[in-house]
Amino acid sequence: MTVAESPCVLPRAPQTPRETGIADDLIMQIVTKTLYFGGEISGTEIAARLGTSFGVVEPSLLLMRRERLCEIAGGTMLGPLSYRYRLTDAGRTRAMLFLEQN
């Protein structure tokens, strides 16, 4: 059997923040920066830009909404995947702090 004929087995993509092995606060920083540069974007688009599933970024978005760092600007009835998120003034300030760090 040649390399071209061998089956390609890809690892399963992480579905939760814990499965990524990345600290929750770092994921939130990356989501915040993504919203800062992306403006008003959907949950699906955030996940796509980060190359991960929505399940990885959803906890950060929930925390950011609770802390009033982002808000839902619109979306369809399909739920959080389709919601359009945007940073609040406090969220933009936090993004600037994160960008100063790295």
Side-chain angles (χ1 to χ4, degrees):
M1 183 181 328
T2 66
V3 173
E5 296 172 346
S6 65
C8 181
V9 179
L10 299 174
R12 186 176 73 85
Q15 300 299 307
T16 65
R18 175 180 240 169
E19 290 178 9
T20 66
I22 300 172
D24 292 343
D25 62 330
L26 182 56
I27 294 173
M28 190 181 87
Q29 287 182 30
I30 295 168
V31 169
T32 303
K33 292 175 189 179
T34 301
L35 280 169
Y36 180 79
F37 290 113
E40 186 178 303
I41 56 178
S42 71
T44 303
E45 179 65 20
I46 294 167
R49 288 183 184 198
L50 298 179
T52 190
S53 69
F54 182 71
V56 172
V57 299
E58 184 176 26
S60 292
L61 289 169
L62 290 171
L63 177 62
M64 291 172 65
R65 284 182 53 214
R66 231 181 353 257
E67 294 184 358
R68 303 195 191 287
L69 299 175
C70 78
E71 60 190 5
I72 296 172
T76 65
M77 303 278 276
L78 298 176
L81 281 167
S82 67
Y83 294 166
R84 299 193 62 76
Y85 298 89
R86 68 177 169 217
L87 291 177
T88 61
D89 288 339
R92 282 188 288 281
T93 301
R94 182 78 55 93
M96 293 301 293
L97 291 172
F98 292 154
L99 288 166
E100 287 176 11
Q101 292 174 359
N102 59 32

